[in-house]
Amino acid sequence: MNTLKVEERPLAQDVRFSDCELIVSLVDGRTISVPVTWFPTLANASEAQRNNWQLLGGGDGIHWPDLDEDLSVRGLLLGTR
């Protein structure tokens, strides 16, 4: 039987938004989606501000320089608001 190994250090590779969700694609193929309302700064940001993001630590986190907002992938997986 084959099993897939879940990464102990999940890393983001892409970020996008739907009308109501923050969606983060991980390098191991998983996708995290959380309500954007969990993060008021992002919820109230313009589309241009939301789309201006950078990966931190090789994908450990996500930074929005226009908003001075940082989120960790680990925190998103744990459901931390």
Side-chain angles (χ1 to χ4, degrees), residues 2-64:
N2 291 332
T3 59
L4 294 174
K5 181 183 176 194
V6 174
E7 292 293 325
E8 291 181 26
R9 183 175 166 227
L11 301 172
Q13 69 178 2
D14 189 43
V15 177
R16 65 186 192 280
F17 291 86
S18 71
D19 289 339
C20 57
E21 294 178 311
L22 163 63
I23 304 161
V24 180
S25 299
L26 305 181
V27 297
D28 65 8
R30 290 181 287 169
T31 302
I32 307 166
S33 62
V34 297
V36 73
T37 57
W38 282 11
F39 309 103
T41 300
L42 293 174
N44 294 316
S46 69
E47 183 177 351
Q49 290 171 316
R50 286 183 183 181
N51 289 330
N52 183 25
W53 54 269
Q54 304 166 340
L55 295 178
L56 300 173
D60 283 323
I62 308 155
H63 174 66
W64 285 266

